[in-house]
Amino acid sequence: ISVFFHAIGLFGMLYGDQALFASLTPFNLLLSAGLLVWAQEEKTIGFLFFFILCFFTGFFTEYLGINYQLLFGEYIYKPALGLQLYGVPLVIGINWFIIIYSTGSFVQRLLDKVWNMLAGEALSARSGVGFFSVILDGALIATLFDWIMEPVAIQLGYWQWANDGSIPMKNYYSWFFVSAFLLFFYKRLAFPKPNHFAVNLFLIQFMFFLILRSML
């Protein structure tokens, strides 16, 4: 389902009515989040809390950026991402959940494969390394994802940076630290990890924006 809708969006943005398909992005984000929740085997209190934390942390940090030019820099959201509150699209909180959860699951899956190859190593040492790896490596990957996404999002009319339109470096610093903060709770909260669909969704979205960045 996810591949199908991303493929339609990719084709439409490259060869069809770009503005129309960009305006359908909120639907795609809601669908992706719904599929993530549906694929989660155990929907525990910890998982629900993590979803709420990602949503409100993402929304609040974007609120500070839009209204007070804190954290990310000076920018505005345009109408393509749908209904806004205080200048921030409501789906932004959903987007933060998708990115953080899928990134955390992706890194966790890679670690699980490494641990299987190093089965003789001490479990306590593996757990300590794994905890910080998911947080730090996950934050780096989430920041890389934003770096790939930024030029595409600007061209599609999702948001616009102030002055000459260049992306400030503090945007990426803030992405790293906010992502690391949320990934800390991804590791600490009690719910089954990783969600296998989340790993696939990370790869789908990564390729989606990488292709658009290369071809738009």
Side-chain angles (χ1 to χ4, degrees):
I1 294 171
S2 184
V3 169
F4 176 73
F5 279 99
H6 278 85
I8 291 176
L10 182 65
F11 184 85
M13 290 173 180
L14 290 175
Y15 305 111
D17 187 333
Q18 189 177 100
L20 171 63
F21 281 90
S23 70
L24 297 175
T25 299
F27 169 77
N28 190 44
L29 290 174
L30 291 172
L31 175 65
S32 296
L35 290 172
L36 276 178
V37 173
W38 176 73
Q40 180 67 24
E41 293 182 2
E42 295 182 34
K43 300 168 183 63
T44 64
I45 295 298
F47 176 73
L48 177 62
F49 181 80
F50 180 70
F51 173 83
I52 293 172
L53 179 68
C54 286
F55 181 90
F56 283 104
T57 299
F59 185 88
F60 181 65
T61 55
E62 300 280 357
Y63 168 81
L64 293 177
I66 289 294
N67 294 282
Y68 299 100
Q69 292 75 55
L70 298 176
L71 295 176
F72 305 105
E74 188 174 354
Y75 62 107
I76 59 168
Y77 278 104
K78 301 179 83 173
L81 290 180
L83 185 64
Q84 298 184 3
L85 180 65
Y86 300 114
V88 182
L90 293 178
V91 294
I92 282 298
I94 297 290
N95 189 52
W96 272 96
F97 165 71
I98 292 170
I99 292 173
I100 297 301
Y101 190 45
S102 59
T103 300
S105 295
F106 177 74
V107 177
Q108 188 67 58
R109 173 69 71 84
L110 291 179
L111 283 172
D112 289 345
K113 290 184 178 296
V114 173
W115 296 155
N116 288 336
M117 292 187 292
L118 302 174
E121 298 293 328
L123 180 60
S124 59
R126 293 188 306 177
S127 299
V129 171
F131 181 83
F132 290 105
S133 177
V134 170
I135 295 171
L136 299 179
D137 294 335
L140 283 172
I141 292 173
T143 305
L144 173 63
F145 181 85
D146 181 62
W147 179 78
I148 291 172
M149 178 177 61
E150 281 287 343
V152 177
I154 294 168
Q155 186 160 343
L156 293 177
Y158 293 163
W159 55 78
Q160 180 179 341
W161 292 94
N163 302 319
D164 63 354
S166 60
I167 305 164
M169 280 303 299
K170 70 177 181 178
N171 170 67
Y172 300 115
Y173 300 146
S174 297
W175 255 87
F176 177 84
F177 288 113
V178 174
S179 298
F181 170 79
L182 291 172
L183 285 164
F184 171 83
F185 287 96
Y186 170 85
K187 286 297 292 181
R188 293 294 296 175
L189 291 170
F191 59 89
K193 312 175 190 77
N195 179 318
H196 298 310
F197 171 67
V199 177
N200 294 330
L201 181 60
F202 170 80
L203 295 172
I204 292 167
Q205 290 197 325
F206 193 90
M207 291 304 300
F208 175 81
F209 282 106
L210 187 61
I211 292 171
L212 285 177
R213 179 173 175 137
S214 301
M215 298 184 67
L216 280 179

